[in-house]
Structure formats: C-alpha cells, structure tokens
Amino acid sequence: MSATSANPIGVAVCGIYGRVGTTVAHAVAREDDLALVGGVDVIASAGGFTTADGSTVATDTDLPTLLARAKTDVIVDFTRADAARVNVRAALEHGVHAVVGTTGMEFSEIEELGELAAANGLGLVVAPNFALTAVLMMHVSKLIGKHMDYCDIVEYHHERKIDAPSGTALQSAIDIREARGSDFISVPTEKETLVGTRGGEHGGINVHAVRLPGMVAHQQIVFGGLGQTLTIRQDSTSTESFVPGVLMAVRAAPELRGLTHGLDALLGLE
Ligand code: NAP
C-alpha cells in the first residue's frame, strides 16, 4: 500500500483516552498520509475524540463496533494485556493490521497472534518499547553483555503502571542473556532481610522496578566486570518519545506479513 493524503492509511487507536493512546491519536491526526478513523476505550466519550485542528472522530467501547462502521487499515493498541489480546484478535479476524505497544502479554500468545496474522496475510508489529533510544539501548546491550560477567537492570515508571517488570526490562534481560549464550554471574544473597530486595532474576540478570510519580519510562542497564562497570541509561521524558516508532510501525504494517517483534528489523539493526 502506498499511502498518500488522497489515500491515507486508516488508523484506529485502542486506549485512545490513555496516556500513550491520546498522544498517538493526536500524532496520527497530524500526518498527511494517515487518517485517524476512530478510537476505543472503556468509556467512549459522547463527543468523540477532538484533535488539535478541532475535528472529532467517534469513539467506541469495543473494537468490532468501530471496525464495522469505519474503514480501518491498522489498529494501534496501548491498553492493557487482557484488552490487547482481544483487540488484536478482533483486528486480525477483520482483515486489519495491528501495531501493539501494550505490555504484559506472554510471548507464546504474541507468537500465536503472529500465526493468525500470517494466516490472514496481515502484519502484526509488537514492540516492548517504541522509543528509538530504547531500541538502540537494547541493541548495544546485546553486544556489551558478551564481554561482561555481571548485569543488573533497573527500570523506573510512573506509579500507576500495572505490570512489573516493564516489557522493555524483561525483553532486555531475555535478549542480553540470549546474545551472551550463558548466564551472568549472580552471587546469591545469603541473608535477605527484606524479601525481594534483589529483584526478579532472568539468566543471572537481576531486574528491579521503581514506581514513582513523575516518571514516564526510564531504564538503566548496569554491566559489571573486574574493577569496572558500564551503565547505559535511557529516558523517555514524555509519551511523545513513542510517536516516531509507532508511526514507523503503522506505515510498515500493511507491507508486513506475520509477527514483527521489536523495531530492530524496521530500523535495519538485524
Ligand atoms: P493508561 O494511561 O492506563 O492507558 C490505557 C488506556 O486503555 C486507558 O484509557 C484504559 O481505560 C484503556 N483500556 C483498558 N481496557 C480497555 C479495553 N478493554 N478496551 C479499550 N481500552 C481499554 O496506560 P498507558 O501508560 O497509556 O500504557 C498503556 C499500555 O502501553 C501499557 O501496557 C504500557 O505498559 C504500554 N506502554 C508501552 C510502550 C511501548 O513503547 N511499547 C510505551 C508506554 C506504555 P481505563 O483507564 O478506564 O482502564
């Protein structure tokens, strides 16, 4: 599909009244080759969703209703895992491509949805982090981890985030461990006087989640070797940080088939 202002990609945003969904919906509405066709949220506003230029699009409380009334090419989902799995399936069954930022789904179910996308000749892009700086952090961390023996991840998010660790932190741990080919050294704590202080653990990588007001999405990966550490830190200081990656995925999705996990392939990092 070659989108133009005369033939834009129709985009529906699930979670349109949420933190990220609102930002994405406004961003879609600003682009000439994209058209915001509607939104879904738990409570649909009677007045619809109003964009910066004053125009409004209708919102619904379920995706099938929206898909039945508005020509949609791609859905973008920033909701919660239990909603995302229903929304993505509905989109794929309606012949609509999907871009998913929602975290908390098991990888096995993402793969299953990818198979449905492939069977229906559709693209499904699922990324634990759409901020390009986060994608680059995860990419270089895989290289660094091969040369270091210790690794801890500390992620920081707003206090209302419902899942932990963040999708980015978990995916980072999985990818860094896989690239290294063996577990990192994680010396067991003999006496933990406060249970959970050492965080979660994957492949010898301890993962810690901080939840505080004022945070958006931040992560530090700290590598340790003999007498030295290397820290990589990434900060998303506003939900705008996710916009370039989401728009890239929306434009790519109609050309893709099956699951694309992460933005690496779209950025030529693989
Ligand atoms: P949020 O502000 O809570 O927004 C989620 C929105 O989805 C809310 O308006 C929520 O309504 C709505 N919702 C819940 N169930 C729904 C359903 N069944 N159908 C439609 N809408 C529904 O959260 P957020 O900060 O925007 O984050 C949303 C998700 O994106 C989270 O999983 C977060 O971890 C993830 N995220 C991913 C990235 C990335 O780059 N991949 C970046 C940031 C966030 P209620 O408030 O009424 O429940």
Side-chain angles (χ1 to χ4, degrees), residues 166-218:
S166 69
T168 305
L170 182 58
Q171 196 63 49
S172 298
I174 291 168
D175 290 351
I176 294 167
R177 161 64 184 81
E178 189 180 311
R180 179 180 156 84
S182 62
D183 284 359
F184 286 83
I185 301 170
S186 177
V187 180
T189 302
E190 274 184 37
K191 187 179 178 197
E192 199 175 47
T193 46
L194 190 60
V195 173
T197 311
R198 293 284 283 123
E201 189 263 333
H202 174 83
I205 302 172
N206 287 88
V207 182
H208 315 267
V210 178
R211 295 288 175 266
L212 289 173
M215 298 286 175
V216 178
H218 318 257

Side-chain angles (χ1 to χ4, degrees), residues 60 62-72 94 96:
D60 295 284
D62 69 282
L63 184 60
T65 303
L66 186 157
L67 296 178
R69 70 164 175 76
K71 186 188 167 302
T72 307
H94 276 80
V96 173

Side-chain angles (χ1 to χ4, degrees), residues 133-134 137 154 156 215 217-222 230-236:
T133 49
M137 167 187 66
V154 189
Y156 309 75
M215 298 286 175
H218 318 257
Q219 177 165 300
Q220 274 182 201
I221 304 179
V222 187
L230 173 57
T231 302
I232 303 179
R233 181 175 172 115
Q234 186 271 341
D235 296 279
S236 281

Side-chain angles (χ1 to χ4, degrees), residues 14-15 17-21 40-42 61 78-80 83 87 101-103 127-131 158 160-161 163 242:
C14 300
Y17 295 120
R19 272 176 291 258
V20 183
V40 179
D41 213 299
V42 173
T61 52
F78 279 90
T79 58
R80 32 189 297 157
N87 290 336
T102 305
T103 57
N129 202 318
F130 280 95
H158 56 86
R160 285 177 47 217
K161 182 166 175 61
D163 55 331
F242 308 116

Side-chain angles (χ1 to χ4, degrees), residues 37-60:
V37 299
V40 179
D41 213 299
V42 173
I43 298 169
S45 161
F49 181 89
T50 305
T51 60
D53 68 0
S55 55
T56 55
V57 292
T59 54
D60 295 284

